[in-house]
Amino acid sequence: MLEVRRLSVSYGQHRALHEASIRVEAGEIVVILGANGAGKSTLLRAVGGICAGQVRGQVVMDGVDISGWPAHRIVEAGIALVPEGRGIFPDLTVAENLALGAHAARARAEETANLARVLALFPRLGERRGQLVRTMSGGEQQMVAIGRAMMSHPRILALDEPSLGLSPLLCKELFRSLQAVRKAGIGILLVEQNARQSLAIADRGYLLEDGEIVHEAPAASLAGDPAVQKAYLGGGRAPAGRQHAPARPSAPGDPEAGKAAAPPRPPRPSASEIAAEALRRLPAPAARAPHGRAPASGTPAPAAVSASPPRPAPPRPAPAAAPPSPPRPAAAGSRSAGDIDIAALVARAAAMASRRRDGTGAKGASVPRPAPSSAAPPGAGQAPMPDLGPGSGDRLRAVLDEIEQAARRAERWRPGR
């Protein structure tokens, strides 16, 4: 159904993808494995029509060459992309995000059936249809992203790192949902770092290295390949007592090609650990007597001294309830999904995307910061420094000196042989 032929992508002088060829059939899960920077996301973005580089080659969908088509026409052709980072609208509700997915002309006749399918796959979305997406967890937001793509009634669903940032439990739930999507006859093109689970549900797989497809095989064959296990599944360890560092991949003109990589060093202590160790070594401060007088010798110091009883905070007035906003009239020729005005919703989503690109605030304009006045005296407008008691400057200086010495020791620290 989907066939990519000799697809190449370049960003200026950098070649990110070189003559990659893949295919995805209906009801098939195809996974692309590769290291970071191998070109996996570039491949999916080129197929989805949102790649910013120079694209050459062919993308064929159902026998029609869609190379060079804009993204909205590719969605109409039946390809839906869930990019890395989800690309959802966080200030819209779940129902509004799903309604935007059904904006494509090919999806309007099947909107009710697609919504029922999405809510059957992700029942949690049905429970939270009126909730703002930005208040949801990462796993729930990923459900929204996949559900919105499925609302476009796709024949090919392309997913870029769908399990990124999810807990192991949510990952299992996500992969079970993808198997249910395949049973509906939708082809899935999957880019995933979790190679073990992705190969467990996939039919076929491709290995992508340095922008080139180097191997294609059934998923079961890839999962049992020792080279794939060593590179992607954490297998292929050397015998105990004779651990060898993996050799670097050879590249033309690389003087370090074939050399064994240095063994990893143990992690150095972090800055917070150094500071905590320095504070632990400081002597406990002497207790202060009332009115700044030191306690007499032989007299036990009081446990705690309060200068004055705390004043209760004045009650805050309750905020006035905002008047209900009048209903917005539907635009002429707009299409409504239930009680959602699609034309107005698309306009809101476009405005949100424009504000994110421009870096402006929620009202579309950045808030300027007041410039400091040259006539103001130093420290004007700032809160006065609190009195930390006698000897506080010496104690603070001792803390800073101890932290600096600990940081220097950490710089000279080397792991034991």
Side-chain angles (χ1 to χ4, degrees):
M1 183 172 15
L2 172 66
E3 187 175 1
V4 178
R5 303 172 182 170
R6 302 173 67 88
L7 192 66
S8 299
V9 178
S10 299
Y11 297 95
Q13 299 296 324
H14 173 66
R15 186 190 70 181
L17 200 64
H18 181 63
E19 295 190 350
S21 298
I22 63 172
R23 57 184 174 84
V24 183
E25 300 295 337
E28 182 183 35
I29 298 181
V30 175
V31 62
I32 301 177
L33 301 178
N36 289 333
K40 306 185 300 296
S41 295
T42 298
L43 174 59
L44 260 62
R45 293 174 72 87
V47 170
I50 60 173
C51 184
Q54 183 180 0
V55 181
R56 297 182 301 274
Q58 285 184 309
V59 178
V60 180
M61 181 67 181
D62 291 331
V64 179
D65 188 356
I66 62 174
S67 307
W69 285 18
H72 68 277
R73 289 192 62 193
I74 292 179
V75 173
E76 295 287 358
I79 301 176
L81 170 64
V82 180
E84 183 180 355
R86 306 182 183 104
I88 53 181
F89 294 96
D91 292 324
L92 298 181
T93 65
V94 172
E96 290 171 336
N97 271 274
L98 296 180
L100 283 174
H103 183 59
R106 64 175 286 116
R108 296 176 185 177
E110 303 291 335
E111 181 176 349
T112 303
N114 289 332
L115 181 60
R117 179 187 302 172
V118 169
L119 298 183
L121 283 174
F122 306 114
R124 200 171 307 177
L125 299 185
E127 301 169 1
R128 307 190 178 187
R129 296 180 65 174
Q131 183 174 347
L132 290 180
V133 174
R134 60 178 169 82
T135 63
M136 305 177 75
S137 67
E140 292 166 343
Q141 292 184 10
Q142 190 67 61
M143 295 177 191
V144 174
I146 297 176
R148 186 186 62 178
M150 291 186 60
M151 288 294 294
S152 67
H153 197 59
R155 303 191 63 194
I156 295 292
L157 184 62
L159 302 169
D160 192 358
E161 302 287 1
S163 71
L164 188 64
L166 302 186
S167 66
L169 183 62
L170 286 177
C171 283
K172 292 181 180 179
E173 184 178 347
L174 172 66
F175 284 110
R176 283 197 298 266
S177 300
L178 294 182
Q179 288 179 296
V181 172
R182 170 178 58 185
K183 292 179 181 178
I186 299 175
I188 298 177
L189 179 58
L190 179 63
V191 165
E192 179 57 56
Q193 287 283 359
N194 193 334
R196 190 178 301 277
Q197 290 194 14
S198 58
L199 286 175
I201 67 170
D203 298 287
R204 290 185 300 109
Y206 294 88
L207 300 184
L208 187 63
E209 293 183 4
D210 296 329
E212 297 184 9
I213 299 292
V214 296
H215 189 52
E216 173 195 358
S221 176
L222 290 175
D225 191 333
V228 175
Q229 291 180 355
K230 184 175 181 179
Y232 304 108
L233 304 180
R237 294 184 178 178
R242 185 166 179 161
Q243 300 266 344
H244 294 282
R248 294 184 51 187
S250 59
D254 187 1
E256 298 295 324
K259 292 186 178 180
R265 293 182 176 180
R268 296 187 177 185
S270 64
S272 58
E273 294 172 343
I274 295 174
E277 178 66 18
L279 292 175
R280 188 182 63 80
R281 296 186 182 184
L282 287 178
R288 297 176 57 192
H291 306 294
R293 293 187 302 230
S297 60
T299 303
V305 177
S306 59
S308 59
R311 297 180 180 178
R316 296 183 179 179
S325 57
R328 289 175 295 182
S334 63
R335 182 179 58 88
S336 296
D339 56 348
I340 298 177
D341 184 3
I342 298 297
L345 187 59
V346 170
R348 287 175 58 198
M352 290 177 184
S354 176
R355 286 198 295 267
R356 283 202 300 269
R357 287 194 301 267
D358 299 340
T360 55
K363 294 184 179 181
S366 57
V367 180
R369 295 183 178 180
S373 174
S374 58
Q382 300 179 2
M385 190 69 178
D387 182 17
L388 301 179
S392 60
D394 296 338
R395 288 190 62 247
L396 182 58
R397 189 175 297 106
V399 171
L400 295 177
D401 291 342
E402 186 69 22
I403 291 176
E404 184 178 358
Q405 293 174 9
R408 290 178 179 175
R409 289 196 300 271
E411 291 178 355
R412 297 192 298 268
W413 178 80
R414 294 292 184 273
R417 298 284 182 184

